[in-house]
Amino acid sequence: NTVVNVMSLLGEGGFSFVYLVKDMSDGAGIGSIPASGGDGMNGSSSQSSGGLGQNQYLVLKITSIHSRQQRDIAEKEAKLLSRLSHPSIVQMFDTCYRTPQSEGRGGHGGLVANVLGGGSGGGSGLGGSGSPLVGGVRPQHLILMEYCEGGHALDVCNRMSASGQKFDLPSLVIAFGQICNAVSYL
């Protein structure tokens, strides 16, 4: 079983919430923030091999399921992500589907047997009426993924634009190459 503690809400959209979580499981960890940090554009993966113990930061995507079609889409997403292994594509570690009846018993498949509220995220949306962490009545699909500290490429572009910065040519060439490598892998 994987046990995670929710640290903060990273984003939401449609029927999904995305959280930064800390792996609280016993034994070998799943993923970690690299010691060198990074801006998310340098191709370094935040995954690490081996048992790193606690202090493992991951991303948990929780999708509220409103129909069989939506469940099928969520399952296809998880199946596709599970088949991908590329340094420029976020890695999925685990997935499960849980129903309100299975909540508290670990759901199906054993992922995230316990999603613990809390952390340092004041105003993170935890406990709000729209939060999937509040014993809602909808089934949920959970995907546990690698955490990339710098965010996705659009986040980096938006931060640079807001601060009046521009990419230098070598950085653009590297980023473009990584995008092309990931697309050609698909």
Side-chain angles (χ1 to χ4, degrees):
N1 279 349
T2 302
V3 179
V4 298
N5 185 28
V6 176
M7 305 307 290
S8 64
L9 177 68
L10 295 175
E12 61 182 278
F15 299 106
S16 297
F17 289 79
V18 180
Y19 295 95
L20 174 64
V21 298
K22 184 175 181 182
D23 182 2
M24 305 302 286
S25 304
D26 293 334
I30 295 176
S32 71
I33 297 174
S36 62
D39 62 5
M41 294 295 291
N42 62 4
S44 65
S45 170
S46 65
Q47 177 197 2
S48 180
S49 60
L52 296 168
Q54 292 190 348
N55 298 321
Q56 310 303 310
Y57 289 93
L58 305 164
V59 170
L60 178 64
K61 178 181 179 184
I62 301 177
T63 302
S64 295
I65 304 298
H66 295 264
S67 67
R68 179 64 197 182
Q69 180 183 18
Q70 193 176 23
R71 180 178 178 179
D72 290 343
I73 290 168
E75 288 174 352
K76 286 178 184 177
E77 175 188 13
K79 188 174 183 178
L80 173 65
L81 285 172
S82 72
R83 293 179 177 171
L84 301 178
S85 178
H86 190 276
S88 296
I89 299 175
V90 172
Q91 183 177 1
M92 183 191 82
F93 295 114
D94 208 349
T95 184
C96 78
Y97 179 80
R98 69 179 184 182
T99 61
Q101 296 80 19
S102 64
E103 197 166 323
R105 290 192 320 241
H108 300 286
L111 164 84
V112 191
N114 298 296
V115 178
L116 310 170
S120 59
S124 66
L126 299 179
S129 61
S131 172
L133 297 178
V134 178
V137 295
R138 297 269 182 215
Q140 299 171 329
H141 192 264
L142 287 73
I143 300 177
L144 192 62
M145 298 178 279
E146 168 184 20
Y147 171 63
C148 299
E149 189 174 3
H152 53 73
L154 184 57
D155 289 336
V156 173
C157 292
N158 288 338
R159 281 193 304 271
M160 291 183 74
S161 176
S163 66
Q165 296 179 317
K166 295 186 180 199
F167 279 103
D168 58 22
L169 185 58
S171 296
L172 276 176
V173 170
I174 291 170
F176 186 71
Q178 290 173 348
I179 292 167
C180 290
N181 284 336
V183 170
S184 69
Y185 170 80
L186 296 174

